[in-house]
Each structure stands twice: as C-alpha cells, then as structure tokens.
Amino acid sequence: WFFGGNRPTILNNGLIYLHAKNIPELSPKADYLVNTGSIYSISDSGTARVINSDVLPVYVENSGLIAAQSLGIDETPGDPVYIDTWQAITIDANGWLQLSNHEGGQILAEAPQLAIAVSGPGGDPTLGTNFVTNAGLIEANATGPDGLSIGIYVQQPGYVPVEIVNSGTIRADI
C-alpha cells in the first residue's frame, strides 16, 4: 500500500507509480481521492487495484489519469495448485460510491482475465444515491483470449438507486 492508516485523504497532482508482483494498491481504506495528476498501479502476476475500499462513502474526483494493469506474467507455469489471477480493478468501492470523472479524465483498466474500470455497490439506503458522472474516458481492456472487460460494474440490490450520467466515453466488452 502506498497510503496506510485509517481512511486517508489523497490529493494528487503529480505522479504516483505503484509496481509489484501482486496486489499493488494505493490504499485499502481510502475514501477520498482527488486526482489531477497520474496514478498507475501495475501488477506483474496478480491483481492490480488503485482504490479498493469498503469504508463509507468513497468519493473520487478525477481530471487526470487513474490506471490499473495486470501484466499476466505466469509465475507458476505448470503448477495446477496455484492459479494466477490476472485482473485489474481500477476503482473498487465496496461501500458507497460518488465518482466524478471530468472532461479529460481517464480511468483505465487492463488485464488478461478480468479488467474492470469502476466497480461499485448498490449502496447503503441510509446514504442515498450512488452516482457515477463521466465526462471523460472510462475504459477496460481484457488482453487475454478468454478475458472479460467491464467499464462500470454496479451491484444493484434493488433498494438503493444508482445513477450513471455519461457525456464522455465508456468503452469495454460490457
């Protein structure tokens, strides 16, 4: 993790570059990210994430670049017990999500197996509507032959509204 502690506020207008064998992650509890610079999270052989937070709410405002990439290097060839999971989830909000991706902003995910640019919950009824507003680019790219890419994945339990407003580009298989 780049930022530890309990619920850090992250304001970035420079460059943050994370690169590890498996699970590079900006912060596991970040609930407030404002980015006008560039953030890269690159995994050699496992999952790459920028934000993976289960705190409530998760607020992300982006006019820069936020990118997660799994390179899909097979660290255990021929080993049937350990199976590499080559996935990239750029913003994984397990709680409640407010995301604004402004014009010129880019949220990107790339991996051989599963690439998700934005993943958010159905939400907590006490917090109100989850929303994703996009005027920039949200893109996921699965590079493997059987891979799957998802631009915005929202779990909808049916009792909390989720609002997606798009005036930009969302590009993925789903």
Side-chain angles (χ1 to χ4, degrees), residues 21 23 58 73 83 85 87 99 112 116-117 143 149 155 171:
K21 182 176 176 179
I23 314 179
V58 174
I73 298 170
I83 299 172
T85 55
Q87 8 181 357
L99 168 64
I116 301 174
T143 59
S149 65
Q155 306 161 21
R171 186 178 303 130

Side-chain angles (χ1 to χ4, degrees), residues 3 9 24 43 45-46 49-50 56 61 68 84 89 97 100 102 104 106 117 121 131 133 141 143 151 158-159 167 174:
F3 292 97
T9 294
S43 172
S45 64
R49 294 187 290 236
V50 175
L56 300 172
E61 186 170 346
D84 289 312
I89 305 171
L97 177 63
S100 294
H102 298 286
Q106 298 178 68
F131 73 84
T133 303
N141 181 33
T143 59
Y159 53 85
S167 60
I174 297 176

Side-chain angles (χ1 to χ4, degrees), residues 82-125:
Y82 179 81
I83 299 172
D84 289 312
T85 55
W86 301 322
Q87 8 181 357
I89 305 171
T90 307
I91 297 172
D92 193 3
N94 300 309
W96 180 68
L97 177 63
Q98 291 185 345
L99 168 64
S100 294
N101 189 39
H102 298 286
E103 186 174 341
Q106 298 178 68
I107 300 172
L108 310 175
E110 183 177 86
Q113 290 179 335
L114 178 63
I116 301 174
V118 177
S119 177
D124 181 330

Side-chain angles (χ1 to χ4, degrees), residues 18-30:
L18 308 168
H19 187 171
K21 182 176 176 179
N22 190 15
I23 314 179
E25 187 174 297
L26 190 60
S27 176
K29 292 194 180 260

Side-chain angles (χ1 to χ4, degrees), residues 114-152:
L114 178 63
I116 301 174
V118 177
S119 177
D124 181 330
T126 62
L127 295 172
T129 302
N130 285 278
F131 73 84
V132 175
T133 303
N134 178 48
L137 173 64
I138 295 175
E139 182 173 13
N141 181 33
T143 59
D146 297 323
L148 176 66
S149 65
I150 301 171
I152 300 174

